[in-house]
Amino acid sequence: MNVVVLNEVRKGFYLDSVALMRLSREVAGSPGVIEAALMMGTPSNAAIMRNAGLLEEGTAVKGNDLVIAVKAESESAAREALDNAIKSLDKPKTQGEAQAAWRPHSIAAAVKARPEINLALISVPGEFAAAEARKALNRGLHVLMFSDNVSLEDELSLKQQARAAGLLMMGPDCGTAVIGGAPLAFANKLTRGRIGIIGASGTGTQEISCLISEAGAGISHAIGVGGRDLKKDIGGITTLMAIDAFDADPETDHVVLISKPPHPDVAKSVLERIGRSSKSYTVCFIGASEVQLPPNARFSPTLKGAAELALGHQQIGADFDANAVASRLPRNGRGGVEGLFAGGTLCAEAQVILAAAGRKVASNAAIPGVLKLGVEPSSGRDRLIDLGDDEYTRGRPHPMIDPSVRDDALRAALKNRDLSVILLDLVLGYGAHADPAEHLVKIAADRGPDAPVLVASVVGTEQDPQGRSAQIRKLEQAGFIVAPSNAQACELAVAIVQNAGR
Amino acid sequence: MTDQDRPQYQQLLARKVEVVNVGLEGFVKDLRDCDIGVVHVDWKPSAGGDPQMAALLAKLGV
């Protein structure tokens, strides 16, 4: 086959990653197109396109250039797809868009016009995110940095600058926060209440806040700190400030702290600070064994357990009996489990539960004690994949925005006769895909009768734009088994494979 | 200590949040749907798209 690659470079033309994804998909669907990409020409994106053979020899691009790259079966197919992409880019704005609110060109101009602005939500490409955060801090704004691929060195210096100025620096790589009911980045529509959350994990915060909200209690605020805040290099700067902030908040009675197991020195200083807090705490270090806690704190190694502790030992999904459900299900496959997760912390919780049940587990985002995929042979092990990990999201949106990241892995798993169960998560809420259940159902629609059992959990609330029960219904009608929480989906997976082994 | 005497980050939880959004435009609608004031910045990579230069300019306060 005669493969043709064509490029168009638009100088100084910026589109955000979600708009680029939509247009990329449109172009990739054109007749005769093998692969297409629309990306900003940042150094990391240029490397991705070069590795994929999508950049023509000698094409030079810069970070403020939009690059359209098409690989097609013929010159005419490539040309037609490229022309259509250019037409879409140049399409005049609709009346609604043209009449949209005034748009400043910088943080400085925005703050000058609206002095009441007190927080910057930053989600630009990682290479430019630290510069924008610095501009926001210089103007006295708190920052939530959703962007990832920011260096540890920049994170530390931004957090030190923020602390010196008395400002909160949430992130980088902070997926979720809810301040006074304002959903920042990926967050759910929650019942307001008296439980606060400090989260070094976006989907961990979402799962716990939704379980609490759906159980009838509520959340005061959820402060995100970024996935690396409790590492030795950062020393828990934002976590310690968040504890201060909750101490001063009369609307909060109890706080849940969620993180992967911190560095021991950081854990010590954070737990000491919790011991001096006027509030009671639930500490959830996913995958850690019991830690030395102050008297006002309790510990859970899982998200569901943490939500139950925060609720005063109220059991979540008490009516769900994993063994009873498993006994009614077919025994397809050879007893393997594959988890395909959009949520990194949901993947970590799955590792905790499967390993505790005696399963041999491997993961690309392995928690302590679990085999790291790709490092050693993993045959015969359950594979639990975090599809939000850098290797899957470099140059493309997170699977919570673009669920198609999971499609190929799911199609392959559905045909894998070694598997008895495929474990899945659906994350709802602001920022997430409009109908992730519909997307999953379509991918799984043509599976055979002996395909692995599809076990899912839905992270969300009834008030979310997608509606939790509507999403669950859609999955159940398509033959998925939906558990009340991620932890219970994992317990069901274990029960099914134990059943299969009998 | 009165609320006014506390550092800003301790007052954040008691204040109404007003947001400047820099990046993904989808976040703007979500905030407006929740009655949160938000201004979206028509952002383009600064310093001609050179990340190192952009970082340097931000450090210099430009």
Side-chain angles (χ1 to χ4, degrees):
Chain A
M1 188 168 49
N2 180 28
V3 175
V4 177
V5 174
L6 287 183
N7 292 160
E8 166 90 6
V9 178
R10 285 287 172 102
K11 297 276 174 201
F13 194 107
Y14 179 76
L15 280 182
D16 77 40
S17 58
V18 175
L20 290 170
M21 172 195 76
R22 285 201 195 105
L23 209 46
S24 293
R25 217 178 274 154
E26 220 175 285
V27 178
S30 303
V33 171
I34 301 164
E35 209 176 338
L38 272 84
M39 287 179 162
M40 297 310 297
T42 58
S44 58
N45 285 348
I48 292 168
M49 286 191 277
R50 226 162 241 129
N51 290 339
L54 281 165
L55 270 192
E56 289 174 282
E57 204 61 44
T59 303
V61 295
K62 285 186 173 174
N64 60 349
D65 298 339
L66 174 70
V67 186
I68 312 169
V70 182
K71 191 191 278 183
E73 291 164 1
S74 66
E75 170 97 30
S76 59
R79 177 61 55 200
E80 192 182 334
L82 200 61
D83 288 347
N84 286 340
I86 292 165
K87 265 186 217 152
S88 291
L89 284 180
D90 293 340
K91 198 165 57 182
K93 289 198 167 171
T94 63
Q95 207 178 2
E97 284 167 339
Q99 287 170 351
W102 164 75
R103 291 177 164 197
H105 290 285
S106 67
I107 291 173
V111 174
K112 197 171 172 197
R114 288 265 291 267
E116 59 273 33
I117 287 173
N118 55 3
L119 188 143
L121 173 52
I122 295 173
S123 56
V124 299
E127 290 101 321
F128 297 96
E132 295 304 321
R134 211 171 292 285
K135 291 177 197 170
L137 293 172
N138 287 343
R139 280 164 181 81
L141 304 183
H142 304 285
V143 173
L144 187 147
M145 190 192 274
F146 177 79
S147 314
D148 56 3
N149 294 314
V150 173
S151 71
L152 259 178
E153 198 183 21
D154 277 335
E155 177 170 351
L156 181 60
S157 97
L158 289 167
K159 285 185 169 172
Q160 285 170 335
Q161 181 181 344
R163 183 174 56 188
L167 297 167
L168 207 54
M169 174 73 212
M170 298 181 269
D173 199 13
C174 176
T176 301
V178 183
I179 309 288
L184 299 168
F186 291 131
N188 302 84
K189 183 90 175 164
L190 303 166
T191 305
R192 290 294 296 276
R194 302 194 63 83
I195 299 172
I197 296 178
I198 301 171
S201 139
T203 43
T205 298
Q206 287 189 273
E207 172 78 339
I208 290 183
S209 61
C210 291
L211 291 176
I212 289 172
S213 185
E214 290 293 282
I219 302 298
S220 56
H221 311 275
I223 298 177
V225 300
R228 299 184 301 205
D229 193 64
L230 293 149
K231 283 187 181 288
K232 190 173 178 22
D233 315 71
I234 309 297
I237 292 176
T238 306
T239 302
L240 292 167
M241 292 173 75
I243 296 171
D244 292 345
F246 275 122
D247 265 359
D249 179 34
E251 305 296 317
T252 302
D253 294 334
H254 182 84
V255 183
V256 183
L257 169 64
I258 314 157
S259 170
K260 287 178 184 154
H263 185 277
D265 295 349
V266 183
K268 193 164 174 266
S269 66
V270 166
L271 292 170
E272 268 174 16
R273 175 64 189 87
I274 286 176
R276 286 185 278 112
S277 167
S278 54
K279 316 278 162 146
S280 61
Y281 269 76
T282 294
V283 174
C284 177
F285 292 153
I286 313 266
S289 43
E290 189 76 34
V291 288
Q292 204 67 38
L293 294 171
N296 61 334
R298 291 163 296 181
F299 176 76
S300 168
T302 64
L303 302 168
K304 174 174 170 275
E308 288 174 338
L309 285 177
L311 288 163
H313 298 281
Q314 181 184 331
Q315 223 185 323
I316 286 163
D319 298 339
F320 183 82
D321 181 342
N323 288 316
V325 176
S327 67
R328 294 195 293 270
L329 291 168
R331 300 175 186 195
N332 296 342
R334 299 192 190 97
V337 177
E338 181 148 308
L340 299 171
F341 291 93
T345 309
L346 302 172
C347 179
E349 186 183 42
Q351 294 173 53
V352 173
I353 291 168
L354 267 68
R359 303 288 301 173
K360 288 182 175 163
V361 182
S363 174
N364 63 330
I367 62 167
V370 165
L371 186 85
K372 172 97 173 148
L373 268 176
V375 176
E376 289 172 68
S378 58
S379 63
R381 287 179 180 261
D382 297 333
R383 284 160 36 98
L384 301 173
I385 315 288
D386 171 11
L387 294 160
D389 202 46
D390 282 354
E391 65 187 291
Y392 295 97
T393 56
R394 211 164 280 137
R396 63 184 299 178
H398 192 277
M400 275 154 58
I401 300 175
D402 176 14
S404 66
V405 176
R406 180 153 57 186
D407 294 357
D408 289 344
L410 178 55
R411 285 192 189 100
L414 285 167
K415 290 180 189 146
N416 185 344
R417 293 294 154 257
D418 288 336
L419 299 178
S420 293
V421 180
I422 301 172
L423 258 175
L424 300 158
D425 60 348
L426 256 81
V427 185
L428 312 181
Y430 298 112
H433 189 268
D435 192 351
E438 180 72 21
H439 185 91
L440 262 189
V441 165
K442 273 188 190 155
I443 301 298
D446 55 358
R447 67 191 187 275
D450 53 353
V453 177
L454 290 160
V455 176
S457 71
V458 177
V459 179
T461 68
E462 206 46 42
Q463 295 77 40
D464 277 333
Q466 302 89 346
R468 186 169 188 268
S469 60
Q471 291 283 298
I472 291 175
R473 210 161 36 245
K474 218 172 248 191
L475 290 175
E476 286 179 340
Q477 281 168 355
F480 290 60
I481 312 296
V482 184
S485 63
N486 180 59
Q488 284 157 302
C490 299
E491 284 160 14
L492 175 57
V494 170
I496 293 169
V497 289
Q498 283 173 350
N499 223 16
R502 269 183 220 140
Chain B
M1 192 189 281
T2 66
D3 187 46
Q4 291 301 320
D5 298 332
R6 294 184 191 280
Q8 284 190 58
Y9 73 94
Q10 292 186 29
Q11 300 173 33
L12 174 66
L13 303 185
R15 299 268 164 93
K16 191 165 167 54
V17 173
E18 290 265 341
V19 177
V20 56
N21 185 56
V22 193
L24 296 173
E25 202 173 343
F27 292 147
V28 173
K29 184 183 177 299
D30 296 339
L31 287 163
R32 291 210 175 115
D33 286 350
C34 295
D35 292 324
I36 305 297
V38 54
V39 172
H40 181 65
V41 170
D42 188 11
W43 185 84
K44 286 190 172 89
S46 55
D50 179 344
Q52 284 173 334
M53 187 58 75
L56 184 63
L57 291 175
K59 275 185 186 158
L60 295 171
V62 179

